[in-house]
Amino acid sequence: MFIKRTIIPLLVLMVFVAAFTAGCFNKSAKDTNATPASVGVIDMTKAVQAHPKYQQLNTLKQQFNMLVAQAQAQSKQQPGSSLSSVKPLQDHAALNTAFEQEYKEKMSAKQSELHQSLVAKADQLRSQLATEFKEYTDEIDKEYQPQIFSLQLKLKTLQLSKEELAAFQAELEKVQQIRSDKLAVKEKQLTEQMDKTMAPAQVAVEQELAAYSQQLNNQLAQKAAAKGAEIEARNSAVADANRLANAATSNQIREIEQQAGMKKQEASVLEQAIIQDVRDKAAKVAAERQLDTIITNIQINVNAVDITEAVIAEFKKQ
């Protein structure tokens, strides 16, 4: 709650009408020898400020203003309620991002590790099959290479007719084709053997990667739950601290408001007492000087007696 500063009026416009003798009111309207009414004027501001208790009134007003300013300052410093609602969302978002990044990095490292292991096994098997293929090629060459060489030599050295040349050439191509076909069959067999041998290893790698992913997810989920609980506990503590601080500040503000209200009431009572005292003293001076009317703070030229100093002099007699 904010306290709006209240300005306590200092000046009250008042008119004192004093009847000093019964004869003044009983004179006939036709009496041409009646004395003109006497008028007095008083500077209320000056009279009030000269009152012995004016300094006390001024002190009360200053104290009231200080209390109002203090309450406003306390209200501005009061902790907000947005921290407990916004900060947890920010923490959880950052936490999820961190765990997602950790999962990606560890999965990438594991996948690279398993891939390298699979590649190493494939290279080893490929080397073995290459050796086997070379040995088979050597055996095939022992069988077919002499025939090929002999036919090639005949084609280059013998004087052959066109028909003989065609026959030798056809036989050479046939032998070469048989050799190539056998090597192709062997190569296909070895390729199928490699695929068959590597298939279980590939499945094992995929299963191991899936198991690792599940294990990693469980670990990170546990870490996230623990960290989330820590965040919730921290934010709950912050929220509790904010509520306590708000409650304490609100209590302080209420106390200050109550003090300000009391100061305001005290100042108002004292001000009214000062004004009433000024009225009483003005009435006394008016009676002593036989003035019919007293007006306050007049701003126009009138034929009136200024009794301000006389009223102030009355204060000094107290």
Side-chain angles (χ1 to χ4, degrees):
M1 178 185 298
F2 293 91
I3 301 177
K4 294 184 177 179
R5 184 173 178 178
T6 304
I7 301 176
I8 302 176
L10 287 175
L11 303 179
V12 178
L13 180 62
M14 60 182 180
V15 176
F16 299 107
V17 179
F20 301 106
T21 63
C24 292
F25 293 98
N26 295 327
K27 289 183 179 180
S28 171
K30 296 180 180 180
D31 188 355
T32 58
N33 295 323
T35 303
S38 298
V39 178
V41 65
I42 182 172
D43 186 340
M44 283 296 293
T45 301
K46 184 176 180 180
V48 168
Q49 292 178 351
H51 195 277
K53 294 185 178 180
Y54 177 76
Q55 187 58 43
Q56 181 182 351
L57 174 63
N58 197 41
T59 300
L60 288 174
K61 290 181 178 180
Q62 291 177 354
Q63 292 174 348
F64 169 76
N65 291 334
M66 289 177 61
L67 289 170
V68 170
Q70 186 178 353
Q72 291 175 345
Q74 287 283 356
S75 297
K76 291 179 180 179
Q77 294 175 0
Q78 191 169 11
S81 60
S82 60
L83 179 61
S84 59
S85 60
V86 175
K87 192 65 176 293
L89 296 179
Q90 294 175 340
D91 285 342
H92 283 302
L95 182 64
N96 290 336
T97 300
F99 282 136
E100 287 176 3
Q101 184 64 27
E102 182 178 355
Y103 174 81
K104 290 179 181 179
E105 291 176 355
K106 289 187 175 181
M107 282 299 297
S108 178
K110 186 65 174 180
Q111 191 172 15
S112 177
E113 174 190 341
L114 294 176
H115 176 72
Q116 291 177 1
S117 174
L118 191 64
V119 168
K121 186 173 184 178
D123 289 343
Q124 182 180 4
L125 180 59
R126 189 178 293 107
S127 177
Q128 293 174 357
L129 295 179
T131 300
E132 183 178 346
F133 183 74
K134 184 178 183 305
E135 292 174 354
Y136 180 78
T137 301
D138 291 342
E139 292 178 2
I140 292 296
D141 285 343
K142 287 179 182 180
E143 181 179 355
Y144 292 99
Q145 200 61 36
Q147 298 179 41
I148 294 172
F149 179 75
S150 176
L151 290 171
Q152 289 175 340
L153 184 61
K154 289 178 181 180
L155 288 171
K156 291 180 179 180
T157 58
L158 296 178
Q159 296 292 328
L160 301 173
S161 64
K162 186 176 180 180
E163 290 77 7
E164 291 174 333
L165 181 62
F168 279 121
Q169 185 65 40
E171 186 177 357
L172 175 61
E173 292 176 356
K174 179 181 178 181
V175 173
Q176 289 177 331
Q177 186 62 45
I178 292 173
R179 176 183 178 275
S180 297
D181 290 344
K182 287 188 175 183
L183 290 177
V185 170
K186 184 63 175 180
E187 185 177 11
K188 181 180 179 181
Q189 290 176 349
L190 294 176
T191 300
E192 291 175 351
Q193 181 181 347
M194 181 172 181
D195 292 341
K196 184 178 180 180
T197 303
M198 290 301 299
Q202 179 67 36
V203 172
V205 165
E206 293 175 356
Q207 291 176 345
E208 184 176 354
L209 189 62
Y212 179 77
S213 175
Q214 183 63 39
Q215 179 185 1
L216 182 59
N217 270 322
N218 292 338
Q219 291 176 351
L220 294 179
Q222 292 176 358
K223 288 176 63 177
K227 192 66 177 178
E230 179 183 340
I231 291 174
E232 290 298 333
R234 185 195 67 195
N235 286 305
S236 178
V238 171
D240 290 342
N242 282 343
R243 282 192 292 270
L244 291 175
N246 284 331
T249 303
S250 297
N251 290 335
Q252 291 176 356
I253 292 174
R254 281 194 294 271
E255 291 178 1
I256 294 172
E257 288 174 348
Q258 292 174 356
Q259 294 175 14
M262 294 173 62
K263 289 294 180 183
K264 178 182 177 181
Q265 181 65 25
E266 187 178 353
S268 178
V269 171
L270 180 58
E271 184 177 35
Q272 292 302 318
I274 291 174
I275 292 174
Q276 185 59 48
D277 195 21
V278 172
R279 289 175 178 172
D280 293 342
K281 296 297 188 292
K284 179 182 178 183
V285 172
E288 291 174 351
R289 299 192 180 189
Q290 298 183 353
L291 300 175
D292 298 315
T293 304
I294 302 297
I295 57 178
T296 63
N297 302 332
I298 192 69
Q299 300 295 324
I300 60 175
N301 293 326
V302 294
N303 186 16
V305 178
D306 189 346
I307 64 170
T308 303
E309 294 299 331
V311 171
I312 294 174
E314 289 294 324
F315 295 150
K316 297 178 181 179
K317 296 178 182 180
Q318 295 178 347

